[in-house]
Amino acid sequence: TQLLEQSPQFLSIQEGENLTVYCNSSSVFSSLQWYRQEPGEGPVLLVTVVTGGEVKKLKRLTFQFGDARKDSSLHITAAQPGDTGLYLCAGDNAGGTSYGKLTFGQGTILTVHP
Amino acid sequence: EPEVTQTPSHQVTQMGQEVILRCVPISNHLYFYWYRQILGQKVEFLVSFYNNEISEKSEIFDDQFSVERPDGSNFTLKIRSTKLEDSAMYFCASSGGWHQPQHFGDGTRLSIL
C-alpha cells in the first residue's frame, strides 16, 4: 500500500512570510500532483511533476519533485491572504501496477493573516 | 475551461436505500474515477473506469458499489444498500489518459440517516 505523509497539517503565518509544505513517501510515484481545495468544492489541480528533480514554478509557488520520485515540496514565497486554503498532494503510479489511482496526503490547511 | 460536474450537490438518504450519484466528465476525457472523503479524513480512491470496464478498484469498493457509463456523457456511482459509514463527500474525476492529470468535480455530499 502506498502512503503519502504530508506536513505540516496546519500552518498559520503572516502575510509576506515564506512557507514550505512537504509530501513524503517510502514508495516511488510515476508523478505527483498538487491540488488546492476550497470549502464545498473539489480539488483544483495546481501542477503535475513527473521527472525526478523537476522544479516547476507557478507565480509565487514553487513545486519540486525529489530525485527518487518519493517526495515533493511546495514552497510559497511572500504568502498572501488569498493563498489561504487546503493544499493536497497526490501520487500517481499509473503505468506501474495501478490505473490512474491517486494516493492522497492528509492535506495542509494554510491560513495567511493580513 | 471545461469542468467535471456532479449532481446532486447534497443527497440525504435513509440507511438501506439505494443511491445513484451522477457525474458528467470533461467531454473529451475517456478515463473516469470516483473518490470519497469521509469528514476529517484523506481523500480515498474508490474505482477507475475505462472503455466501459472497471480498471482498478479499492477494498472499499465492495459488492454494494457499482459504476456505469449509461450514455456518452454520464458516469454514475451506485450504492445498493447504504450504510451509515457511507456518509462522505464523493468526488468524480476524469482525465485524458492514465498518465494525465485528473480533474475533479465539486463533489456530492452523501448523508445517510
Side-chain angles (χ1 to χ4, degrees):
Chain A
T1 302
Q2 295 183 308
L3 290 173
L4 265 178
E5 296 296 326
Q6 194 172 336
S7 63
Q9 193 174 352
F10 300 96
L11 199 48
S12 180
I13 61 172
Q14 292 298 124
E15 183 176 1
E17 292 184 3
N18 302 330
L19 66 110
T20 303
V21 177
Y22 299 94
C23 201
N24 296 297
S25 176
S26 57
S27 304
V28 175
F29 289 98
S30 303
S31 67
L32 205 131
Q33 301 172 27
W34 285 91
Y35 293 86
R36 179 173 165 175
Q37 186 178 16
E38 301 296 337
E41 298 180 9
V44 175
L45 182 69
L46 295 174
V47 80
T48 301
V49 285
V50 178
T51 308
E54 183 176 6
V55 176
K56 280 192 174 177
K57 293 198 174 193
L58 192 66
K59 297 182 182 177
R60 293 176 292 101
L61 277 60
T62 302
F63 304 85
Q64 186 161 8
F65 202 12
D67 291 339
R69 290 187 285 128
K70 292 182 180 181
D71 54 85
S72 181
S73 63
L74 156 61
H75 182 79
I76 301 180
T77 304
Q80 298 176 1
D83 295 328
T84 293
L86 172 65
Y87 291 83
L88 297 165
C89 63
D92 177 3
N93 194 30
T97 57
S98 76
Y99 293 89
K101 170 186 173 181
L102 288 180
T103 299
F104 278 82
Q106 306 95 313
T108 295
I109 298 175
L110 171 65
T111 305
V112 183
H113 302 279
Chain B
E1 185 174 319
E3 57 182 24
V4 176
T5 56
Q6 290 185 243
T7 55
S9 57
H10 191 189
Q11 173 83 46
V12 181
T13 301
Q14 292 288 332
M15 186 172 59
Q17 295 296 305
E18 174 183 286
V19 292
I20 297 176
L21 309 183
R22 301 181 192 280
C23 170
V24 179
I26 292 173
S27 61
N28 62 345
H29 285 179
L30 298 175
Y31 300 79
F32 314 119
Y33 316 83
W34 283 101
Y35 293 82
R36 79 170 185 192
Q37 186 175 29
I38 294 172
L39 188 63
Q41 297 186 22
K42 292 185 185 185
V43 176
E44 302 172 286
F45 169 81
L46 292 177
V47 65
S48 59
F49 188 90
Y50 169 70
N51 200 26
N52 279 321
E53 288 184 344
I54 290 174
S55 301
E56 185 177 8
K57 59 184 181 180
S58 71
E59 291 174 356
I60 303 166
F61 195 89
D62 62 22
D63 292 343
Q64 294 301 313
F65 290 86
S66 62
V67 289
E68 192 179 28
R69 186 154 166 83
D71 53 46
S73 59
N74 290 284
F75 180 52
T76 61
L77 173 69
K78 183 194 290 187
I79 309 176
R80 226 177 315 276
S81 178
T82 50
K83 309 186 195 76
L84 292 175
E85 53 264 37
D86 294 328
S87 295
M89 281 291 288
Y90 286 81
F91 292 106
C92 173
S94 69
S95 68
W98 291 135
H99 59 287
Q100 297 295 317
Q102 294 179 27
H103 297 266
F104 285 76
D106 283 339
T108 293
R109 180 173 298 283
L110 179 62
S111 300
I112 306 300
L113 305 179

